[in-house]
Amino acid sequence: VPEVLDADFYGFQDLLTPVEQEAVGRVRDFMEREVRPLADDYWDRAECPVHLFKPFAELGSVGAAWSETRQFENSAVFRGWVGMELARVDSSFCTFIGVSSGLAMSSIGLGGSPEQRAAWLPPMARGDLIGAFGLTEPLSGSDTARGLRTTATRHGDTWVLDGAKRWIGNATFADVVVIWAKDTADDQVKGFMVRKGTPGFTATKIERKQSLRIVQNADITLENVEIAESDRLQGINSFKDLANVLRVTRDGVSWQALGTMIGAYEAAVTYTKEREQFGNPIASYQLVQDKLATGLGNITASIAMCVRLAQMQDEGTQRDQHAALAKAFVTTRMRETVALAREVCGGNGITLDTGVARYFADAEAVYTFEGTRDMNQLIVGRSITGHAAFV
Ligand code: FAD
């Protein structure tokens, strides 16, 4: 297991404290030992190694953002770096962990009352409970801010949820799914913790997916689902509160895109040194080197962007447009890098055996979720011009 990544060309890892570097080392070691050997087979079968959630959580970085669960002081750069290390080996595994550790725990961490945080976050950080995050709907993806159709109606101390969700990762096995719905009284967005087995809640796996195949995404139906007021996120009262959660988690997707392109780039470097054509390793040819250098440039620019974005998160200066610019830029660079990596592997690059095809396919979902590239560009465009082009 490398102590330093060659793809970290400018040595950004040095920005981490010694304690953080050690924790990153444990994650890297875990990913190489436990995940890399099984990633291609699980991906091929579209199955999720749920049994690895608990051992991964025992490394201590799940939910590391939340004071209730912190095992050591850590920075947003550290948390992002961990996500990058997961995606570098398997972008699906990064999503599987991130949906619970990032999306679900951030919803509870930012939107929960002190009692809710104390009740849910520690067991989730220990890996005893797995979370999911249900925002997207069959008829509402990019426009969830205004297009949410799932409703929440209050009757005394009980809420009744009705509607449908689509694409919800981990939902078929999660212990708790955070469901976002519109309050029929004030038309504002509210968040609800729906526990496993709640009557009226059904999650059906989406089959035949060709990207992030390890992630178990589900269609959810909610029919007269009764939730106690004590399981409503007490700090969420509008779409603005939800947007705060999404800004933090969008940073995580930029780091994931970075890890995805590093994984493909590393596999391509290895392959091109081994593969010979015209009597020489293809790595010795100028056009191949040009593609590898382009990949390394994309990676280096993206690390710089992710690192600064994370520092702004810690400084409290990060705005929606900062997170949006990084998500759009890094995922675009990722898409180019995985395609170049696939290209230098020739025909073998489209089989799982060369180690590039999985990243190539997975990049498509990363490019689209948590705000498509275009929606994020439009958030930046609104910030530049003062005109919202999408409302
Ligand atoms: P649409 O909104 O239908 O967009 C289609 C196209 O139209 C895009 O190119 C988009 O950019 C473009 N477009 C839309 N509006 C405009 C406009 N005004 N101007 C210009 N272009 C526009 N969601 C969850 O809640 N929880 C999850 O766990 C989750 N996991 C996911 C996992 C995977 C593998 C995938 C693929 C998705 C997941 N999602 C999840 C949903 C994801 O966030 C949405 O797919 C994403 O927000 C885009 O929505 P959509 O797919 O409905 O696309």
Side-chain angles (χ1 to χ4, degrees), residues 37-54:
L38 53 75
D40 285 335
D41 283 346
Y42 272 74
W43 194 95
D44 209 20
R45 298 198 307 269
E47 286 173 11
C48 183
V50 182
H51 65 280
L52 291 180
F53 193 87
K54 175 84 178 157

Side-chain angles (χ1 to χ4, degrees), residues 37-210:
L38 53 75
D40 285 335
D41 283 346
Y42 272 74
W43 194 95
D44 209 20
R45 298 198 307 269
E47 286 173 11
C48 183
V50 182
H51 65 280
L52 291 180
F53 193 87
K54 175 84 178 157
F56 178 76
E58 281 165 2
L59 301 179
S61 56
V62 167
W66 306 111
S67 52
E68 291 85 345
T69 68
R70 272 193 183 187
Q71 300 195 9
F72 50 90
E73 273 307 305
N74 63 73
S75 60
V77 177
F78 164 76
R79 299 191 295 273
W81 200 282
V82 167
M84 180 276 282
E85 294 284 352
L86 303 191
R88 180 183 151 254
V89 173
D90 182 37
S91 202
S92 293
F93 194 80
C94 179
T95 308
F96 161 50
I97 298 291
V99 164
S100 186
S101 175
L103 282 165
M105 287 184 76
S106 296
S107 303
I108 299 168
L110 288 168
S113 64
E115 294 74 27
Q116 289 173 327
R117 291 161 57 112
W120 289 94
L121 296 179
M124 291 176 87
R126 285 195 302 271
D128 293 336
L129 297 177
I130 299 180
F133 177 92
L135 175 63
T136 307
E137 303 189 345
L139 299 178
S140 173
S142 299
D143 71 350
T144 44
R146 52 170 38 208
L148 223 53
R149 287 163 174 81
T150 298
T151 56
T153 307
R154 187 167 186 165
H155 303 283
D157 269 351
T158 302
W159 291 83
V160 177
L161 306 186
D162 281 292
K165 297 286 171 184
R166 180 158 171 81
W167 287 120
I168 312 309
N170 296 358
T172 49
F173 52 79
D175 300 287
V176 59
V177 184
V178 176
I179 292 286
W180 302 91
K182 266 201 182 153
D183 184 344
T184 49
D186 63 8
D187 213 31
Q188 294 293 334
V189 175
K190 306 266 155 71
F192 299 87
M193 290 175 288
V194 179
R195 297 165 190 246
K196 193 178 196 166
T198 303
F201 172 94
T202 315
T204 310
K205 181 182 168 185
I206 297 175
E207 303 284 356
R208 298 157 71 90
K209 191 159 58 85
Q210 299 303 313

Side-chain angles (χ1 to χ4, degrees), residues 206-377:
I206 297 175
E207 303 284 356
R208 298 157 71 90
K209 191 159 58 85
Q210 299 303 313
S211 180
L212 297 179
R213 283 174 61 75
I214 284 174
V215 182
Q216 310 290 294
N217 291 96
D219 278 313
I220 291 178
T221 54
L222 300 137
E223 283 173 5
N224 273 321
V225 175
E226 293 191 6
I227 304 293
E229 161 64 7
S230 54
D231 277 351
R232 181 181 68 79
L233 292 171
Q234 299 292 313
I236 304 285
N237 295 305
S238 67
F239 187 81
K240 220 168 145 225
D241 297 327
L242 164 61
N244 285 336
V245 177
L246 292 176
R247 189 179 60 244
V248 174
T249 56
R250 198 161 275 163
D251 290 9
V253 180
S254 297
W255 285 98
Q256 175 175 5
L258 173 61
T260 306
M261 76 176 114
I262 291 177
Y265 163 85
E266 289 176 331
V269 171
T270 303
Y271 182 84
T272 56
K273 286 180 178 170
E274 287 166 1
R275 173 78 171 173
E276 290 193 5
Q277 289 294 288
F278 299 96
N280 296 301
I282 57 172
S284 66
Y285 296 124
Q286 291 171 346
L287 292 176
V288 171
Q289 290 184 8
D290 172 62
K291 294 181 178 73
L292 296 178
T294 299
L296 187 58
N298 286 343
I299 290 165
T300 305
S302 299
I303 300 184
M305 209 164 189
C306 287
V307 163
R308 183 65 198 127
L309 188 71
Q311 290 171 338
M312 290 168 80
Q313 197 188 109
D314 279 343
E315 290 162 6
T317 55
Q318 193 193 113
R319 302 286 170 265
D320 289 344
Q321 56 269 29
H322 299 132
L325 184 68
K327 206 281 177 174
F329 178 86
V330 177
T331 55
T332 305
R333 299 276 63 85
M334 166 193 67
R335 219 183 191 194
E336 180 187 50
T337 305
V338 300
L340 291 173
R342 210 291 305 151
E343 189 177 338
V344 296
C345 293
N348 291 335
I350 66 165
T351 73
L352 287 173
D353 302 330
T354 313
V356 172
R358 181 163 48 81
Y359 298 98
F360 181 80
D362 288 348
E364 287 304 299
V366 179
Y367 186 73
T368 287
F369 63 33
E370 296 244 9
T372 64
R373 181 251 178 209
D374 289 355
M375 292 315 297
N376 281 297
Q377 289 286 83

